[in-house]
Amino acid sequence: MSYGIPSAEPSAQVPVCPRHPDRPSYVRCQRCGRPACPDCQRAAAVGFQCVDCVNETRRTTPEVQSVYGGAVATGRPMVTFGIIAVCAVLYVLQWLIPDDAVYRTLGFATIYAEPRYGEFEPWRMLTAAFLHSQGFILHIALNMYMLWIFGQALEPLLGRIRFLAVYLLSALGGSVGYLLLTPLYVPGQPLYGVVGASGAIFGLFGAMLLVQRQRGGDTRQLWILIAINGAIGFLVPQIAWQAHLGGLVTGALCAAVIAYTPRGPRRSLIQAAGLLAVLVLLAAAVWVRVTI
């Protein structure tokens, strides 16, 4: 009788990760029971789950929505902080890059036929909202403070995408308001560019006003804030009250589209169509102004 050496456990019996068959794994998913290697393990309330089960849970779990249909923005208002960061970076670049290159590239002026500005470039109407006056540091400081205050209130309420849409459309609306309410060209008048987030900030004022009114809240303090800031535009020289007015109206209009759209399965689609209609309206106003 011969005595053989005991054979090792067959490799086929060693549990391996389904996503990585070359990796043995003795940790199993708490939901489906399949092995999961360290790269495929996700912490769960008890133990671990595999990537596939986590993804399946996300697909089947209804998304928590804000009162106006947007995804609930928990934690810090990231869109608000992102806008502040962009404005801060561009403000630093305005100081570092010589010959006003940043301003001449991104600023907006109604006298668009000036040779050093070339032909009318509509994208400037949006990019100008991310620049600020170098000679008056309170310009950016006050705008960013107001953005921080109202962003923390509106971003979680509207949802990040809707909040960003309201902000950008209000910024564009501010430039459109300035374009509509100022002469395109005055012989002998120097070229004045328009920069600053004030139009967008007034848009947040208008949006908050509509939201508060729709929710039945007190709007008296908002009216006082709008009146004070609006009066400053008329009392202090070189402040574009036209941009303030354009941003205010645009922000209120955007908020009305979002707040007064009835609930339903197509709510988000209707809101998107309404915001697109606001954009088309602004574009039509620009086209009429510069062509007629």
Side-chain angles (χ1 to χ4, degrees):
M1 179 181 294
S2 61
Y3 296 91
I5 300 175
S7 61
E9 183 182 1
S11 59
Q13 297 180 5
V14 176
V16 296
C17 176
R19 297 168 63 91
H20 303 94
D22 59 328
R23 302 180 187 179
S25 176
Y26 294 92
V27 177
R28 295 182 177 272
C29 172
Q30 295 294 318
R31 185 180 181 192
C32 68
R34 295 183 302 172
C37 70
D39 289 341
C40 295
Q41 297 172 12
R42 299 294 183 268
V46 178
F48 296 90
Q49 290 187 7
C50 65
V51 174
D52 294 330
C53 286
V54 171
N55 292 337
E56 179 64 24
T57 301
R58 289 176 179 173
R59 286 193 296 268
T60 57
T61 302
E63 185 181 56
V64 180
Q65 294 184 338
S66 69
V67 66
Y68 296 118
V72 173
T74 58
R76 297 182 178 181
M78 300 308 296
V79 173
T80 299
F81 287 165
I83 296 171
I84 292 174
V86 171
C87 291
V89 169
L90 287 176
Y91 191 69
V92 172
L93 291 178
Q94 285 180 258
W95 285 99
L96 295 179
I97 300 178
D99 300 326
D100 289 334
V102 176
Y103 168 72
R104 291 189 295 108
T105 302
L106 303 178
F108 171 64
T110 59
I111 311 176
Y112 58 86
E114 174 71 14
R116 66 188 178 118
Y117 271 74
E119 296 182 357
F120 180 62
E121 298 170 325
W123 50 267
R124 293 177 178 270
M125 304 179 75
L126 181 60
T127 57
F130 294 92
L131 304 182
H132 289 84
S133 173
Q134 294 175 258
F136 188 52
I137 194 171
L138 284 179
H139 187 209
I140 186 172
L142 292 176
N143 279 342
M144 296 303 100
Y145 176 72
M146 286 296 180
L147 172 57
W148 180 65
I149 294 294
F150 281 84
Q152 290 186 92
L154 281 172
E155 185 174 335
L157 193 60
L158 301 179
R160 287 171 179 160
I161 295 178
R162 287 164 178 78
F163 173 77
L164 180 61
V166 170
Y167 185 88
L168 295 178
L169 285 172
S170 298
L172 182 60
S175 295
V176 172
Y178 188 79
L179 178 69
L180 296 178
L181 299 175
T182 55
L184 291 181
Y185 178 73
V186 177
Q189 185 181 40
L191 177 65
Y192 290 108
V194 182
V195 294
S198 300
I201 300 302
F202 267 79
L204 299 186
F205 291 169
M208 180 63 79
L209 185 66
L210 259 292
V211 167
Q212 281 286 86
R213 187 175 183 84
Q214 192 270 341
R215 292 166 61 87
D218 187 6
T219 59
R220 287 176 294 181
Q221 292 184 351
L222 277 171
W223 281 114
I224 293 173
L225 179 66
I226 293 171
I228 292 175
N229 283 274
I232 292 175
F234 292 95
L235 300 176
V236 179
Q238 295 186 355
I239 291 183
W241 61 266
Q242 302 92 334
H244 295 175
L245 180 59
L248 179 68
V249 172
T250 304
L253 188 58
C254 291
V257 168
I258 295 172
Y260 289 98
T261 299
R263 296 177 180 271
R266 297 185 178 180
R267 187 183 192 184
S268 296
L269 182 61
I270 296 173
Q271 289 173 337
L275 294 176
L276 180 61
V278 174
L279 177 61
V280 172
L281 181 63
L282 294 175
V286 172
W287 181 81
V288 170
R289 178 58 167 159
V290 300
T291 58
I292 298 178

